[in-house]
Amino acid sequence: MNNNVCRISMASKRIFFSMLLGVAISLPMHAFTVVIDPGHGGDDPGAIGRIAREKTLNLNAALQLGEMIKEAYPEVDVIFTRKTDVFIPLRTRADIANKNKADLFISIHANASDNRNASGAETFVLGTDRMEDNLDIAMRENAVIKLESDYQSSYEGFDPNSIDSYIMFDLMQSDYMNQSLQFATMVQKQFVDSLKRGDRGVRQAAFLVLLRTACPSVLVEMGFISNRDEERFLASEEGRLGITRSIFRAFSQFYRPGKAIPALSSDTIVLPATPEQPLVVQPKPAKPAKPSITYKVQIFSTRSLIKKGDPTFKGLKECTYKKDGVWYKYMYGECKTYDEAKKLQQTVKKKFPDCVVVAFQGDEQIMVKRAIELQKQAKTK
């Protein structure tokens, strides 16, 4: 009797575990989710170049990257923070990633600098290592929160223009730092090895959008829109395709480490540029011409204003003066070069032995030595 009960019990267990295993197998596994974030948008154009706006470059690259991932890995959920030219607050971008339980967050941007020769690609993760070096770019990217009417309450009083606000990042360490650094390194390596872009490295910066995402997160700076050559590359079909393929290859290595990277028919896909108002390139105002250099012979100074034709001038006509405090400095002639002025001085010395050569830049009197240097510099340009 006991043996029979035992056999029944064991059989029941086998059936139970078989059913349980069947249920477990039938349960859908959590799909890998990647959130792609085209930086800026709508009223926030980002950096503006001569032929392109950053918001459009970011969106076109993000959409094409998403298409590549969908084609190669249909099982991956690809979510965009925006698909059109709209403004999305930074906190909302992070919320999209968190609500969808993202496994990876990629924010795509184009860089800009006052130095028009700055070039190359760089990939950022959240952090404060060498924060001072990257503070300007973090401030520029974070400044977009000021387009949000309630940004002070939404971001707990964070001021994107205040250095003090960035101290908070020292107290916040990302739980996903290692994975973020791993993916960022893969992206940067593809940019350099496959696309031959200038290597600005993997760096840390205090980006709000990365702070709020609960998953491995990177911010990619594709290149400098402020650099004419790089802007043309970023705006071209070839450039966009090369950049998106580089990020895609890095994604493949991160998603399926050690596996072969699949070929893509989407290499030939050309996404239409998103509609936007045509750029109006304002011509730079012409720099005002610097006042010309002239030389004169100063004959004497006096506290009194002397009328034209006065015998004091000893027959020199068309003498001029410049008031300097209580003094009236009287001068004769006007020469374009110092050598001409020296010759004139020798003639004037016959009547005014103490006369000297003086120099002017426009109406401003300057040192003779400085005037000579400025004229030399102008000749070498």
Side-chain angles (χ1 to χ4, degrees):
M1 182 68 177
N2 290 338
N3 290 338
N4 289 336
V5 171
C6 182
R7 281 195 292 272
I8 293 172
S9 176
M10 291 297 293
S12 299
K13 287 181 179 180
R14 282 194 295 271
I15 293 171
F16 173 75
F17 283 116
S18 296
M19 291 175 62
L20 183 62
L21 181 61
V23 171
I25 292 174
S26 64
L27 287 174
M29 295 181 65
H30 168 64
F32 189 97
T33 300
V34 56
V35 173
I36 304 176
D37 171 46
H40 306 283
D43 293 336
D44 172 27
I48 299 178
R50 293 177 62 85
I51 62 173
R53 288 185 174 93
E54 182 190 354
K55 66 176 183 179
T56 304
L57 298 179
N58 298 344
L59 182 56
N60 285 344
L63 293 176
Q64 187 149 37
L65 173 62
E67 289 301 316
M68 288 180 176
I69 294 174
K70 288 178 183 178
E71 178 191 334
Y73 306 110
E75 74 278 11
V76 172
D77 286 340
V78 178
I79 297 171
F80 300 94
T81 57
R82 67 181 180 97
K83 291 184 177 180
T84 58
D85 184 19
V86 294
F87 173 72
I88 306 293
L90 290 186
R91 68 176 185 277
T92 304
R93 296 170 191 259
D95 288 345
I96 291 171
N98 296 337
K99 287 177 182 177
N100 287 280
K101 295 180 170 54
D103 297 286
L104 181 64
F105 179 84
I106 308 171
S107 189
I108 297 178
H109 291 254
N111 218 333
S113 173
D114 291 335
N115 177 6
R116 300 296 178 181
N117 294 321
S119 63
E122 55 193 341
T123 310
F124 285 91
V125 299
L126 179 69
T128 57
D129 182 42
R130 300 185 66 181
M131 184 171 70
E132 290 183 3
D133 294 347
N134 305 320
L135 190 58
D136 57 338
I137 188 173
M139 285 182 167
R140 185 173 70 247
E141 296 293 358
N142 291 337
V144 66
I145 68 173
K146 289 195 171 183
L147 293 179
E148 304 172 36
S149 59
D150 58 344
Y151 81 90
Q152 289 182 322
S153 58
S154 298
Y155 297 92
E156 294 84 33
F158 180 86
D159 181 354
N161 296 324
S162 170
I163 295 177
D164 291 341
S165 288
Y166 289 85
I167 295 174
M168 60 180 273
F169 284 86
D170 277 330
L171 307 176
M172 300 180 181
Q173 296 297 323
S174 171
D175 294 332
Y176 305 95
M177 174 62 78
N178 289 338
Q179 290 172 289
S180 297
L181 283 171
Q182 182 184 23
F183 179 61
T185 302
M186 291 173 176
V187 171
Q188 197 64 23
K189 182 173 175 59
Q190 287 296 327
F191 279 151
V192 176
D193 293 351
S194 301
L195 200 56
K196 309 303 180 185
R197 305 300 293 155
D199 185 12
R200 295 177 65 88
V202 173
R203 308 167 74 177
Q204 294 184 19
F207 292 119
L208 281 173
V209 70
L210 300 184
L211 173 65
R212 289 172 168 259
T213 50
C215 64
S217 307
V218 302
L219 188 146
V220 177
E221 294 282 4
M222 301 181 288
F224 282 80
I225 197 174
S226 51
N227 180 303
R228 286 193 182 185
D229 292 336
E230 287 212 335
E231 181 189 13
R232 283 194 290 267
F233 178 79
L234 295 175
S236 69
E237 176 189 341
E238 175 190 5
R240 182 178 69 243
L241 182 59
I243 287 166
T244 52
R245 288 191 75 248
S246 295
I247 302 174
F248 167 77
R249 291 174 67 85
F251 173 83
S252 295
Q253 294 172 333
F254 184 82
Y255 174 56
R256 299 180 65 201
K259 305 291 183 180
I261 298 172
L264 290 169
S265 62
S266 58
D267 278 2
T268 57
I269 288 178
V270 179
L271 296 177
T274 55
E276 65 172 20
Q277 294 178 349
L279 281 177
V280 178
V281 180
Q282 297 290 345
K284 291 183 178 179
K287 292 182 179 179
K290 291 183 178 179
S292 59
I293 303 293
T294 57
Y295 300 88
K296 299 181 182 182
V297 178
Q298 182 174 312
I299 54 179
F300 59 80
S301 298
T302 177
R303 289 175 178 266
S304 303
L305 184 61
I306 303 174
K307 294 181 180 181
K308 287 184 179 180
D310 191 279
T312 309
F313 295 118
K314 299 181 181 181
L316 295 181
K317 298 180 180 180
E318 305 300 329
C319 290
T320 58
Y321 70 88
K322 180 176 178 62
K323 195 169 189 298
D324 186 2
V326 298
W327 295 95
Y328 292 88
K329 295 180 177 180
Y330 282 90
M331 287 156 281
Y332 176 72
E334 186 170 300
C335 304
K336 292 184 178 180
T337 67
Y338 178 68
D339 289 340
E340 291 176 8
K342 287 294 290 181
K343 289 180 181 179
L344 180 61
Q345 180 192 24
Q346 295 305 315
T347 300
V348 175
K349 269 190 174 184
K350 296 174 183 178
K351 296 183 178 182
F352 297 94
D354 296 327
C355 66
V356 294
V357 174
V358 292
F360 289 84
Q361 186 172 29
D363 294 329
E364 180 186 359
Q365 185 171 352
I366 61 175
M367 299 290 291
V368 171
K369 183 178 180 181
R370 175 61 177 160
I372 295 172
E373 290 176 353
L374 289 174
Q375 287 187 315
K376 286 182 178 178
Q377 291 173 8
K379 286 181 180 180
T380 58
K381 290 183 179 179

